[in-house]
Amino acid sequence: MLEAAGVPFQVVDAKIEENDVKASLRARGVRDAELAVSLARAKALAVTAADNDLVLGSDQTLELDDGSMLDKPASREELVEQLGRLSGGSHRLHSAAVVVEGGQPVWSATETVAMHVRSLGTGFLQDYVERQYETVRWSVGGYHVEGMGAQLFERIEGSHFAVQGLPLLPLLSFLRTRGMLRA
């Protein structure tokens, strides 16, 4: 998304154990959109950078209507179970980004998107998981709306960029205020 938007960047792996950080945050009662922001912050803070470099961390969380949270599916069977839980219902996808400069957070944004899943037939689920698992296993909810995952939904309310994992428009606005992009 950044490349397509004309934003120069360099990818640096945040060396954190995401599952451990997530478990610690959840143990302290951090949930929903706050969990996405906290994970994005942890990732950005884990990257060593020069004082004047901006480091962007991002993450997503998925909250079901009953308040429970889903994680990335650990197996094909777990993906089938998760999609079964999503089938015919709605959920909220919280997408967060945090920018760190000089080891301190200087900006953050969160966007929440309402995702309405159609009723999914057994044959479709089996075919989807067989064809898409290796692609979507790293995604909370087990889908990419920019691919075959679009077939899961009857309606999406909110930013397409946030669904893809980044509150891009607020980030671009921040970068303009910093003079990194032309206004």
Side-chain angles (χ1 to χ4, degrees), residues 28-130:
R28 294 190 319 227
V30 178
R31 306 183 32 77
D32 313 328
E34 185 183 353
L35 180 61
V37 171
S38 297
L39 289 167
R41 184 182 311 111
K43 289 177 180 181
L45 289 169
V47 174
T48 304
D51 283 346
N52 60 343
D53 286 345
L54 298 181
V55 178
L56 171 66
S58 64
D59 212 311
Q60 285 183 314
T61 55
L62 189 154
E63 177 188 11
L64 297 174
D65 282 340
D66 66 6
S68 62
M69 308 283 294
L70 291 185
D71 289 314
K72 297 170 186 165
S75 66
R76 292 173 189 274
E77 295 75 24
E78 191 171 316
L79 178 55
V80 169
E81 179 207 333
Q82 284 187 3
L83 292 173
R85 287 182 71 188
L86 296 176
S87 179
S90 62
H91 61 276
R92 288 167 299 287
L93 192 60
H94 306 289
S95 184
V98 174
V99 173
V100 168
E101 181 178 28
Q104 297 297 316
V106 295
W107 176 86
S108 68
T110 306
E111 291 188 320
T112 298
V113 180
M115 311 288 290
H116 302 275
V117 181
R118 67 181 181 84
S119 293
L120 306 172
T122 304
F124 172 82
L125 280 176
Q126 291 171 346
D127 182 56
Y128 176 83
V129 170
E130 180 62 33

